Amino acid sequence: MPADTSTENCVFCAIVAGVGPAYRVYEDDDVVAFLDIRPVSRGHTLVIPKPHSPYLEDLDPENGAKIFKVGQRIARAIRRSDLGVAGAHLVVNDGRAAMQTVFHTHLHVIPRRKGDKVSLPFLFGAVWRKLVDPERTAEAIREGLRRLG
């Protein structure tokens, strides 16, 4: 069965429009970043372009550069937050074969901690993953961004 790649049913387009729920940590004219609802680790953040693009090949290269730039900044902020992060994975899943489940291009910023048990593939156990204390987690990331200046 083909993936639904329309904007009408896109949960990320609803978040961009302000009608979908999200714990936002960053937003500008082109990009929104918010906590993943099924995080691999605490602070797992998604960075999306505001214009809809189902696949990487549909993403305007300038918007791609913007989501990566913001993703890098979020990763730096998370390391400077009080979440105890030592590193990060920046990951784009492109297409169903690459385990993409929401067909609006997005960059995963996945915090890593020394000794954590996170392994590839990231989606293993996705059904059981849950947000833990999202209000404080989102605020910790926003504080990390403030610390960056």
mmCIF file of all heavy atoms in Angstrom, residues 49-91:
data_model
loop_
_atom_site.group_PDB
_atom_site.id
_atom_site.type_symbol
_atom_site.label_atom_id
_atom_site.label_comp_id
_atom_site.label_asym_id
_atom_site.label_seq_id
_atom_site.Cartn_x
_atom_site.Cartn_y
_atom_site.Cartn_z
ATOM 1 N N PRO A 49 11.037 21.143 7.875
ATOM 2 C CA PRO A 49 10.794 22.364 7.105
ATOM 3 C C PRO A 49 9.303 22.675 7.159
ATOM 4 O O PRO A 49 8.479 21.760 7.216
ATOM 5 C CB PRO A 49 11.225 21.970 5.687
ATOM 6 C CG PRO A 49 10.957 20.500 5.617
ATOM 7 C CD PRO A 49 11.237 19.976 7.015
ATOM 8 N N LYS A 50 8.957 23.929 7.154
ATOM 9 C CA LYS A 50 7.530 24.276 7.155
ATOM 10 C C LYS A 50 6.831 23.862 5.858
ATOM 11 O O LYS A 50 5.734 23.316 5.917
ATOM 12 C CB LYS A 50 7.344 25.766 7.457
ATOM 13 C CG LYS A 50 7.611 26.083 8.926
ATOM 14 C CD LYS A 50 7.282 27.513 9.257
ATOM 15 C CE LYS A 50 7.406 27.760 10.751
ATOM 16 N NZ LYS A 50 7.083 29.149 11.108
ATOM 17 N N PRO A 51 7.451 24.062 4.686
ATOM 18 C CA PRO A 51 6.773 23.577 3.478
ATOM 19 C C PRO A 51 6.776 22.043 3.446
ATOM 20 O O PRO A 51 7.774 21.404 3.796
ATOM 21 C CB PRO A 51 7.625 24.135 2.330
ATOM 22 C CG PRO A 51 8.477 25.193 2.923
ATOM 23 C CD PRO A 51 8.654 24.833 4.368
ATOM 24 N N HIS A 52 5.672 21.463 3.017
ATOM 25 C CA HIS A 52 5.541 20.011 2.940
ATOM 26 C C HIS A 52 6.452 19.444 1.856
ATOM 27 O O HIS A 52 6.489 19.951 0.742
ATOM 28 C CB HIS A 52 4.087 19.641 2.633
ATOM 29 C CG HIS A 52 3.835 18.176 2.623
ATOM 30 N ND1 HIS A 52 3.763 17.442 3.790
ATOM 31 C CD2 HIS A 52 3.641 17.310 1.607
ATOM 32 C CE1 HIS A 52 3.521 16.178 3.483
ATOM 33 N NE2 HIS A 52 3.446 16.073 2.156
ATOM 34 N N SER A 53 7.201 18.429 2.195
ATOM 35 C CA SER A 53 7.995 17.662 1.227
ATOM 36 C C SER A 53 8.005 16.228 1.733
ATOM 37 O O SER A 53 8.605 15.944 2.759
ATOM 38 C CB SER A 53 9.412 18.218 1.101
ATOM 39 O OG SER A 53 10.123 18.116 2.316
ATOM 40 N N PRO A 54 7.322 15.318 1.042
ATOM 41 C CA PRO A 54 7.201 13.948 1.546
ATOM 42 C C PRO A 54 8.542 13.218 1.672
ATOM 43 O O PRO A 54 8.772 12.511 2.642
ATOM 44 C CB PRO A 54 6.313 13.254 0.516
ATOM 45 C CG PRO A 54 5.641 14.332 -0.243
ATOM 46 C CD PRO A 54 6.535 15.527 -0.171
ATOM 47 N N TYR A 55 9.410 13.395 0.689
ATOM 48 C CA TYR A 55 10.675 12.658 0.652
ATOM 49 C C TYR A 55 11.845 13.629 0.511
ATOM 50 O O TYR A 55 11.668 14.774 0.099
ATOM 51 C CB TYR A 55 10.698 11.675 -0.527
ATOM 52 C CG TYR A 55 9.588 10.664 -0.480
ATOM 53 C CD1 TYR A 55 8.476 10.786 -1.284
ATOM 54 C CD2 TYR A 55 9.659 9.585 0.394
ATOM 55 C CE1 TYR A 55 7.446 9.856 -1.245
ATOM 56 C CE2 TYR A 55 8.637 8.656 0.451
ATOM 57 C CZ TYR A 55 7.538 8.791 -0.369
ATOM 58 O OH TYR A 55 6.531 7.874 -0.308
ATOM 59 N N LEU A 56 13.018 13.131 0.794
ATOM 60 C CA LEU A 56 14.231 13.936 0.681
ATOM 61 C C LEU A 56 14.371 14.518 -0.718
ATOM 62 O O LEU A 56 14.759 15.679 -0.884
ATOM 63 C CB LEU A 56 15.438 13.076 1.058
ATOM 64 C CG LEU A 56 16.747 13.772 1.365
ATOM 65 C CD1 LEU A 56 16.586 14.828 2.450
ATOM 66 C CD2 LEU A 56 17.790 12.746 1.793
ATOM 67 N N GLU A 57 14.023 13.754 -1.742
ATOM 68 C CA GLU A 57 14.143 14.248 -3.113
ATOM 69 C C GLU A 57 13.200 15.408 -3.395
ATOM 70 O O GLU A 57 13.419 16.183 -4.322
ATOM 71 C CB GLU A 57 13.911 13.128 -4.127
ATOM 72 C CG GLU A 57 12.491 12.625 -4.185
ATOM 73 C CD GLU A 57 12.320 11.468 -5.149
ATOM 74 O OE1 GLU A 57 13.167 10.568 -5.165
ATOM 75 O OE2 GLU A 57 11.323 11.479 -5.880
ATOM 76 N N ASP A 58 12.139 15.560 -2.592
ATOM 77 C CA ASP A 58 11.186 16.654 -2.762
ATOM 78 C C ASP A 58 11.589 17.902 -1.981
ATOM 79 O O ASP A 58 10.973 18.960 -2.148
ATOM 80 C CB ASP A 58 9.797 16.224 -2.282
ATOM 81 C CG ASP A 58 9.302 14.988 -3.000
ATOM 82 O OD1 ASP A 58 9.391 14.938 -4.241
ATOM 83 O OD2 ASP A 58 8.840 14.066 -2.308
ATOM 84 N N LEU A 59 12.573 17.772 -1.128
ATOM 85 C CA LEU A 59 12.977 18.876 -0.248
ATOM 86 C C LEU A 59 13.820 19.883 -1.009
ATOM 87 O O LEU A 59 14.825 19.521 -1.644
ATOM 88 C CB LEU A 59 13.781 18.308 0.933
ATOM 89 C CG LEU A 59 14.302 19.293 1.971
ATOM 90 C CD1 LEU A 59 13.144 19.969 2.697
ATOM 91 C CD2 LEU A 59 15.196 18.567 2.958
ATOM 92 N N ASP A 60 13.421 21.137 -0.956
ATOM 93 C CA ASP A 60 14.224 22.206 -1.530
ATOM 94 C C ASP A 60 15.593 22.187 -0.845
ATOM 95 O O ASP A 60 15.655 22.144 0.394
ATOM 96 C CB ASP A 60 13.514 23.546 -1.290
ATOM 97 C CG ASP A 60 14.319 24.716 -1.796
ATOM 98 O OD1 ASP A 60 15.185 25.204 -1.043
ATOM 99 O OD2 ASP A 60 14.085 25.134 -2.945
ATOM 100 N N PRO A 61 16.701 22.196 -1.606
ATOM 101 C CA PRO A 61 18.035 22.129 -0.994
ATOM 102 C C PRO A 61 18.291 23.218 0.053
ATOM 103 O O PRO A 61 18.967 22.968 1.051
ATOM 104 C CB PRO A 61 18.988 22.254 -2.180
ATOM 105 C CG PRO A 61 18.209 21.715 -3.333
ATOM 106 C CD PRO A 61 16.779 22.142 -3.065
ATOM 107 N N GLU A 62 17.743 24.411 -0.157
ATOM 108 C CA GLU A 62 17.925 25.476 0.844
ATOM 109 C C GLU A 62 17.219 25.114 2.146
ATOM 110 O O GLU A 62 17.739 25.372 3.228
ATOM 111 C CB GLU A 62 17.424 26.814 0.302
ATOM 112 C CG GLU A 62 18.344 27.392 -0.756
ATOM 113 C CD GLU A 62 17.917 28.774 -1.198
ATOM 114 O OE1 GLU A 62 17.265 29.490 -0.404
ATOM 115 O OE2 GLU A 62 18.251 29.135 -2.343
ATOM 116 N N ASN A 63 16.021 24.526 2.052
ATOM 117 C CA ASN A 63 15.324 24.085 3.269
ATOM 118 C C ASN A 63 16.066 22.931 3.929
ATOM 119 O O ASN A 63 16.076 22.817 5.149
ATOM 120 C CB ASN A 63 13.880 23.704 2.957
ATOM 121 C CG ASN A 63 13.002 24.906 2.722
ATOM 122 O OD1 ASN A 63 13.304 25.999 3.174
ATOM 123 N ND2 ASN A 63 11.922 24.717 1.998
ATOM 124 N N GLY A 64 16.677 22.064 3.114
ATOM 125 C CA GLY A 64 17.492 20.984 3.661
ATOM 126 C C GLY A 64 18.662 21.539 4.471
ATOM 127 O O GLY A 64 18.953 21.062 5.567
ATOM 128 N N ALA A 65 19.310 22.560 3.927
ATOM 129 C CA ALA A 65 20.420 23.191 4.648
ATOM 130 C C ALA A 65 19.918 23.818 5.947
ATOM 131 O O ALA A 65 20.591 23.731 6.985
ATOM 132 C CB ALA A 65 21.089 24.239 3.762
ATOM 133 N N LYS A 66 18.724 24.405 5.902
ATOM 134 C CA LYS A 66 18.168 25.044 7.097
ATOM 135 C C LYS A 66 17.844 24.015 8.179
ATOM 136 O O LYS A 66 18.134 24.244 9.359
ATOM 137 C CB LYS A 66 16.923 25.855 6.746
ATOM 138 C CG LYS A 66 17.242 27.104 5.955
ATOM 139 C CD LYS A 66 15.988 27.823 5.497
ATOM 140 C CE LYS A 66 16.349 28.974 4.579
ATOM 141 N NZ LYS A 66 15.167 29.617 4.020
ATOM 142 N N ILE A 67 17.228 22.875 7.798
ATOM 143 C CA ILE A 67 16.904 21.901 8.841
ATOM 144 C C ILE A 67 18.176 21.305 9.436
ATOM 145 O O ILE A 67 18.230 21.049 10.630
ATOM 146 C CB ILE A 67 15.902 20.804 8.395
ATOM 147 C CG1 ILE A 67 16.461 19.894 7.336
ATOM 148 C CG2 ILE A 67 14.574 21.392 8.018
ATOM 149 C CD1 ILE A 67 15.614 18.661 7.053
ATOM 150 N N PHE A 68 19.213 21.117 8.609
ATOM 151 C CA PHE A 68 20.459 20.590 9.160
ATOM 152 C C PHE A 68 21.124 21.628 10.062
ATOM 153 O O PHE A 68 21.629 21.288 11.141
ATOM 154 C CB PHE A 68 21.422 20.137 8.065
ATOM 155 C CG PHE A 68 22.555 19.345 8.641
ATOM 156 C CD1 PHE A 68 22.415 17.986 8.882
ATOM 157 C CD2 PHE A 68 23.739 19.958 8.999
ATOM 158 C CE1 PHE A 68 23.440 17.258 9.454
ATOM 159 C CE2 PHE A 68 24.775 19.247 9.562
ATOM 160 C CZ PHE A 68 24.627 17.890 9.798
ATOM 161 N N LYS A 69 21.103 22.888 9.661
ATOM 162 C CA LYS A 69 21.695 23.950 10.487
ATOM 163 C C LYS A 69 20.997 24.026 11.841
ATOM 164 O O LYS A 69 21.644 24.102 12.893
ATOM 165 C CB LYS A 69 21.598 25.295 9.750
ATOM 166 C CG LYS A 69 22.236 26.441 10.488
ATOM 167 C CD LYS A 69 22.165 27.720 9.660
ATOM 168 C CE LYS A 69 22.800 28.869 10.408
ATOM 169 N NZ LYS A 69 22.785 30.111 9.632
ATOM 170 N N VAL A 70 19.660 23.976 11.824
ATOM 171 C CA VAL A 70 18.905 24.006 13.082
ATOM 172 C C VAL A 70 19.156 22.725 13.868
ATOM 173 O O VAL A 70 19.322 22.754 15.090
ATOM 174 C CB VAL A 70 17.400 24.236 12.821
ATOM 175 C CG1 VAL A 70 16.580 24.024 14.090
ATOM 176 C CG2 VAL A 70 17.182 25.647 12.270
ATOM 177 N N GLY A 71 19.216 21.574 13.186
ATOM 178 C CA GLY A 71 19.510 20.312 13.863
ATOM 179 C C GLY A 71 20.848 20.339 14.566
ATOM 180 O O GLY A 71 20.983 19.875 15.703
ATOM 181 N N GLN A 72 21.850 20.906 13.910
ATOM 182 C CA GLN A 72 23.172 21.038 14.531
ATOM 183 C C GLN A 72 23.091 21.936 15.767
ATOM 184 O O GLN A 72 23.661 21.625 16.817
ATOM 185 C CB GLN A 72 24.163 21.614 13.521
ATOM 186 C CG GLN A 72 25.566 21.773 14.076
ATOM 187 C CD GLN A 72 26.478 22.485 13.104
ATOM 188 O OE1 GLN A 72 26.036 23.364 12.344
ATOM 189 N NE2 GLN A 72 27.744 22.111 13.112
ATOM 190 N N ARG A 73 22.345 23.011 15.659
ATOM 191 C CA ARG A 73 22.183 23.934 16.800
ATOM 192 C C ARG A 73 21.438 23.253 17.951
ATOM 193 O O ARG A 73 21.816 23.405 19.113
ATOM 194 C CB ARG A 73 21.446 25.194 16.337
ATOM 195 C CG ARG A 73 21.362 26.276 17.390
ATOM 196 C CD ARG A 73 20.970 27.600 16.764
ATOM 197 N NE ARG A 73 20.748 28.608 17.757
ATOM 198 C CZ ARG A 73 21.702 29.278 18.398
ATOM 199 N NH1 ARG A 73 22.962 29.035 18.133
ATOM 200 N NH2 ARG A 73 21.394 30.187 19.305
ATOM 201 N N ILE A 74 20.394 22.491 17.636
ATOM 202 C CA ILE A 74 19.652 21.755 18.668
ATOM 203 C C ILE A 74 20.583 20.744 19.337
ATOM 204 O O ILE A 74 20.589 20.613 20.572
ATOM 205 C CB ILE A 74 18.428 21.027 18.054
ATOM 206 C CG1 ILE A 74 17.428 22.016 17.475
ATOM 207 C CG2 ILE A 74 17.781 20.083 19.063
ATOM 208 C CD1 ILE A 74 16.634 22.823 18.459
ATOM 209 N N ALA A 75 21.389 20.040 18.562
ATOM 210 C CA ALA A 75 22.333 19.072 19.133
ATOM 211 C C ALA A 75 23.312 19.766 20.082
ATOM 212 O O ALA A 75 23.595 19.268 21.181
ATOM 213 C CB ALA A 75 23.087 18.339 18.024
ATOM 214 N N ARG A 76 23.815 20.914 19.686
ATOM 215 C CA ARG A 76 24.715 21.685 20.557
ATOM 216 C C ARG A 76 23.981 22.126 21.816
ATOM 217 O O ARG A 76 24.524 22.063 22.923
ATOM 218 C CB ARG A 76 25.266 22.908 19.817
ATOM 219 C CG ARG A 76 26.290 22.558 18.752
ATOM 220 C CD ARG A 76 26.786 23.763 17.968
ATOM 221 N NE ARG A 76 27.315 24.786 18.847
ATOM 222 C CZ ARG A 76 27.090 26.096 18.677
ATOM 223 N NH1 ARG A 76 26.353 26.530 17.665
ATOM 224 N NH2 ARG A 76 27.605 26.967 19.507
ATOM 225 N N ALA A 77 22.745 22.587 21.643
ATOM 226 C CA ALA A 77 21.949 23.049 22.794
ATOM 227 C C ALA A 77 21.680 21.913 23.764
ATOM 228 O O ALA A 77 21.760 22.087 24.992
ATOM 229 C CB ALA A 77 20.634 23.658 22.310
ATOM 230 N N ILE A 78 21.350 20.743 23.235
ATOM 231 C CA ILE A 78 21.073 19.596 24.097
ATOM 232 C C ILE A 78 22.310 19.235 24.910
ATOM 233 O O ILE A 78 22.213 18.912 26.098
ATOM 234 C CB ILE A 78 20.551 18.405 23.263
ATOM 235 C CG1 ILE A 78 19.135 18.694 22.758
ATOM 236 C CG2 ILE A 78 20.565 17.114 24.066
ATOM 237 C CD1 ILE A 78 18.616 17.684 21.740
ATOM 238 N N ARG A 79 23.483 19.320 24.291
ATOM 239 C CA ARG A 79 24.730 19.024 25.022
ATOM 240 C C ARG A 79 24.981 20.047 26.121
ATOM 241 O O ARG A 79 25.608 19.733 27.128
ATOM 242 C CB ARG A 79 25.910 18.976 24.058
ATOM 243 C CG ARG A 79 25.884 17.722 23.201
ATOM 244 C CD ARG A 79 27.046 17.691 22.271
ATOM 245 N NE ARG A 79 28.215 17.206 22.997
ATOM 246 C CZ ARG A 79 29.189 16.523 22.441
ATOM 247 N NH1 ARG A 79 29.149 16.250 21.169
ATOM 248 N NH2 ARG A 79 30.213 16.129 23.150
ATOM 249 N N ARG A 80 24.502 21.262 25.939
ATOM 250 C CA ARG A 80 24.704 22.312 26.945
ATOM 251 C C ARG A 80 23.536 22.403 27.924
ATOM 252 O O ARG A 80 23.555 23.214 28.837
ATOM 253 C CB ARG A 80 24.933 23.643 26.247
ATOM 254 C CG ARG A 80 26.339 23.723 25.658
ATOM 255 C CD ARG A 80 26.449 24.805 24.617
ATOM 256 N NE ARG A 80 27.788 24.916 24.070
ATOM 257 C CZ ARG A 80 28.314 24.090 23.161
ATOM 258 N NH1 ARG A 80 27.612 23.063 22.705
ATOM 259 N NH2 ARG A 80 29.541 24.286 22.708
ATOM 260 N N SER A 81 22.528 21.583 27.720
ATOM 261 C CA SER A 81 21.370 21.577 28.622
ATOM 262 C C SER A 81 21.708 20.769 29.871
ATOM 263 O O SER A 81 22.817 20.271 30.028
ATOM 264 C CB SER A 81 20.156 20.958 27.907
ATOM 265 O OG SER A 81 20.313 19.551 27.801
ATOM 266 N N ASP A 82 20.713 20.631 30.729
ATOM 267 C CA ASP A 82 20.885 19.831 31.943
ATOM 268 C C ASP A 82 20.410 18.393 31.756
ATOM 269 O O ASP A 82 20.126 17.703 32.730
ATOM 270 C CB ASP A 82 20.112 20.493 33.095
ATOM 271 C CG ASP A 82 20.675 21.867 33.442
ATOM 272 O OD1 ASP A 82 21.896 22.067 33.293
ATOM 273 O OD2 ASP A 82 19.891 22.741 33.844
ATOM 274 N N LEU A 83 20.347 17.917 30.492
ATOM 275 C CA LEU A 83 19.860 16.573 30.216
ATOM 276 C C LEU A 83 20.960 15.503 30.272
ATOM 277 O O LEU A 83 20.674 14.331 30.070
ATOM 278 C CB LEU A 83 19.165 16.529 28.841
ATOM 279 C CG LEU A 83 17.896 17.358 28.724
ATOM 280 C CD1 LEU A 83 17.367 17.331 27.296
ATOM 281 C CD2 LEU A 83 16.833 16.874 29.707
ATOM 282 N N GLY A 84 22.201 15.887 30.512
ATOM 283 C CA GLY A 84 23.279 14.912 30.650
ATOM 284 C C GLY A 84 23.642 14.210 29.351
ATOM 285 O O GLY A 84 23.901 13.010 29.329
ATOM 286 N N VAL A 85 23.692 14.962 28.259
ATOM 287 C CA VAL A 85 23.943 14.400 26.934
ATOM 288 C C VAL A 85 25.418 14.545 26.568
ATOM 289 O O VAL A 85 26.030 15.570 26.793
ATOM 290 C CB VAL A 85 23.044 15.117 25.895
ATOM 291 C CG1 VAL A 85 23.381 14.710 24.482
ATOM 292 C CG2 VAL A 85 21.585 14.833 26.213
ATOM 293 N N ALA A 86 25.979 13.475 25.961
ATOM 294 C CA ALA A 86 27.389 13.476 25.575
ATOM 295 C C ALA A 86 27.584 13.548 24.063
ATOM 296 O O ALA A 86 28.685 13.791 23.594
ATOM 297 C CB ALA A 86 28.079 12.227 26.119
ATOM 298 N N GLY A 87 26.530 13.324 23.290
ATOM 299 C CA GLY A 87 26.632 13.335 21.831
ATOM 300 C C GLY A 87 25.249 13.264 21.214
ATOM 301 O O GLY A 87 24.247 13.318 21.920
ATOM 302 N N ALA A 88 25.208 13.127 19.886
ATOM 303 C CA ALA A 88 23.912 13.060 19.199
ATOM 304 C C ALA A 88 24.051 12.353 17.859
ATOM 305 O O ALA A 88 25.106 12.404 17.231
ATOM 306 C CB ALA A 88 23.355 14.461 18.978
ATOM 307 N N HIS A 89 22.961 11.717 17.456
ATOM 308 C CA HIS A 89 22.813 11.225 16.090
ATOM 309 C C HIS A 89 21.923 12.220 15.366
ATOM 310 O O HIS A 89 20.921 12.673 15.926
ATOM 311 C CB HIS A 89 22.086 9.874 16.054
ATOM 312 C CG HIS A 89 22.918 8.705 16.436
ATOM 313 N ND1 HIS A 89 23.946 8.236 15.663
ATOM 314 C CD2 HIS A 89 22.862 7.903 17.511
ATOM 315 C CE1 HIS A 89 24.489 7.186 16.251
ATOM 316 N NE2 HIS A 89 23.852 6.970 17.382
ATOM 317 N N LEU A 90 22.267 12.546 14.121
ATOM 318 C CA LEU A 90 21.398 13.312 13.242
ATOM 319 C C LEU A 90 21.025 12.368 12.114
ATOM 320 O O LEU A 90 21.896 11.898 11.383
ATOM 321 C CB LEU A 90 22.103 14.560 12.700
ATOM 322 C CG LEU A 90 22.566 15.571 13.745
ATOM 323 C CD1 LEU A 90 23.243 16.751 13.067
ATOM 324 C CD2 LEU A 90 21.416 16.051 14.598
ATOM 325 N N VAL A 91 19.723 12.069 11.983
ATOM 326 C CA VAL A 91 19.272 11.014 11.082
ATOM 327 C C VAL A 91 18.063 11.472 10.264
ATOM 328 O O VAL A 91 17.132 12.059 10.815
ATOM 329 C CB VAL A 91 18.857 9.753 11.892
ATOM 330 C CG1 VAL A 91 18.349 8.655 10.976
ATOM 331 C CG2 VAL A 91 19.997 9.263 12.759
#
